[in-house]
Amino acid sequence: MFPKAHHSRLIDVCRTRWIARIDVLDVFIEVLPAIIKCFELMINNNEKSWNYDSVRDANSYFFATRSFQFLVTLEVVSRCLEVTRPITKQFQSPNFDVFASREKVNLLYLALQRLRSEIEHSHGAWYSEGVVLAASVDVYEHKPRKIGKQLNRNNCPSDSINEYYKKVITISFLDHLSSQIQLRFSNRNIAVYNGFFAMPTNVLNVAEWRSNFLLFLNEYEDELSEPRYTMTELNMWEDYWRSFKNSLPTTLTKLLSLINRITFPNIFTLIQILATIPVTTCTCERSISVIRRLKTYLRNTMSQNRFNSLALMHVYQDISFDANEVIDCFARKNPRRMKLVDILNSDPI
């Protein structure tokens, strides 16, 4: 029916992956005529293929999707979220460089500010696309409804339909998006990223690594065992890595295994804290998605200890292990419950 469309079905909106929420708007706009046509077929129900509830829901969705206000809002929100798509996609990558995220957040905020300062041009282009989208489904530009009795808020004063939607939708959504970016990446949250200045590559290549790392240190100063010697440790920390002969560690896990707890007690504590801070929720969300695979309705009586063990095995399945060593460990742990039999000699061992 729509041969120019690149998609034949909608994207399932994942509650934990925001990149899917952004992409689904583009797909929804592309196949909007097909969606409305589908609602029409369900409402007519000529072949009696749909029950009463499905027809009722289709009727509601049909009128909602053919609302001019909905279509303009759909276009504006989609265009605004396009700015956040690159950093959202990078943040959900397991190999994303957290240290470089500060610059990307700043670029995102500057991009939103630029759209806000050029609101006349930005909204004009988006509104025109919304009008074209509405016309493609036989919905045409019309004045918004005004309320006679004001209870919650006043009618937005405007000289044209374009200006009305600019004030009510575009400006409001951009301001809300900018405020949420500032809240999510506040100075205190950004201070956590300063902990990565203690990584050996930054210690050797960034001149101001010490002052930046102190910003992270100040947030967790109460957790240090010997805070009086922090400056001495930082000086020794730089000297240690300048004389280090092997390859430098690039991850916090490798770095923790190389730190001498006696020589660098405070830095070891700080690196431990940094390694346990979830910079993004992607890893947590991926582990949550494992639950449905392990604890199904048929396995609902699984104990918590076994469930945690299976979940960790699934999450860290890239870690290799020796199966024979696991069997030997289990045999030594429960010698009375498990007797291994030598098949050749048929004697218990």
Side-chain angles (χ1 to χ4, degrees), residues 173-186:
F173 186 75
L174 276 177
D175 291 345
H176 173 74
L177 193 58
S178 299
S179 63
Q180 290 300 310
I181 293 297
Q182 282 186 316
L183 180 63
R184 178 63 61 89
F185 300 98
S186 61

Side-chain angles (χ1 to χ4, degrees), residues 23-45:
D23 291 342
V24 74
L25 293 178
D26 295 335
V27 178
F28 188 88
I29 292 174
E30 181 181 356
V31 299
L32 179 62
I35 294 174
I36 294 179
K37 185 64 177 179
C38 179
F39 288 151
E40 290 179 350
L41 295 175
M42 293 177 66
I43 294 172
N44 295 331
N45 199 16

Side-chain angles (χ1 to χ4, degrees), residues 191-341:
V192 176
Y193 295 169
N194 291 316
F196 289 92
F197 279 98
M199 294 296 293
T201 53
N202 297 323
V203 170
L204 300 180
N205 299 322
V206 181
E208 62 278 6
W209 75 269
R210 190 180 287 101
S211 59
N212 290 322
F213 184 70
L214 286 174
L215 297 176
F216 173 75
L217 185 148
N218 294 334
E219 293 291 330
Y220 301 96
E221 187 174 4
D222 296 338
E223 305 294 333
L224 302 181
S225 58
E226 302 175 10
R228 180 179 178 182
Y229 306 104
T230 52
M231 293 305 301
T232 302
E233 278 190 38
L234 293 179
N235 294 331
M236 295 175 59
W237 183 254
E238 182 174 353
D239 296 335
Y240 174 76
W241 292 112
R242 291 195 180 279
S243 60
F244 193 74
K245 301 301 182 181
N246 299 325
S247 59
L248 297 177
T250 57
T251 63
L252 293 176
T253 305
K254 295 179 180 179
L255 180 61
L256 278 172
S257 62
L258 296 176
I259 300 178
N260 190 320
R261 302 187 185 185
I262 300 177
T263 307
F264 306 104
N266 295 319
I267 293 181
F268 180 80
T269 301
L270 292 172
I271 297 300
Q272 268 190 325
I273 295 174
L274 182 63
T276 57
I277 294 177
V279 181
T280 66
T281 60
C282 300
T283 304
C284 303
E285 292 164 357
R286 293 190 183 102
S287 62
I288 291 174
S289 63
V290 175
I291 296 178
R292 192 61 182 272
R293 302 175 185 173
L294 299 178
K295 199 176 180 73
T296 62
Y297 297 108
L298 299 178
R299 299 176 180 174
N300 201 31
T301 58
M302 184 187 301
S303 63
Q304 190 66 34
N305 187 23
R306 184 186 181 191
F307 174 69
N308 293 338
S309 301
L310 291 175
L312 290 175
M313 290 176 62
H314 182 84
V315 172
Y316 299 103
Q317 54 184 299
D318 56 330
I319 300 178
S320 59
F321 64 93
D322 188 356
N324 294 326
E325 183 179 353
V326 174
I327 296 175
D328 293 340
C329 180
F330 183 79
R332 290 191 298 268
K333 186 177 180 181
N334 304 282
R336 298 181 61 184
R337 295 177 56 189
M338 182 177 182
K339 293 183 179 181
L340 300 181
V341 179

Side-chain angles (χ1 to χ4, degrees), residues 10-25 88 92 282 285-286 288-289 293:
L10 293 175
I11 299 177
D12 186 16
V13 180
C14 179
R15 296 183 178 182
T16 58
R17 292 184 63 85
W18 273 96
I19 190 66
R21 293 173 177 259
I22 298 174
D23 291 342
V24 74
L25 293 178
T88 302
Q92 292 187 329
C282 300
E285 292 164 357
R286 293 190 183 102
I288 291 174
S289 63
R293 302 175 185 173

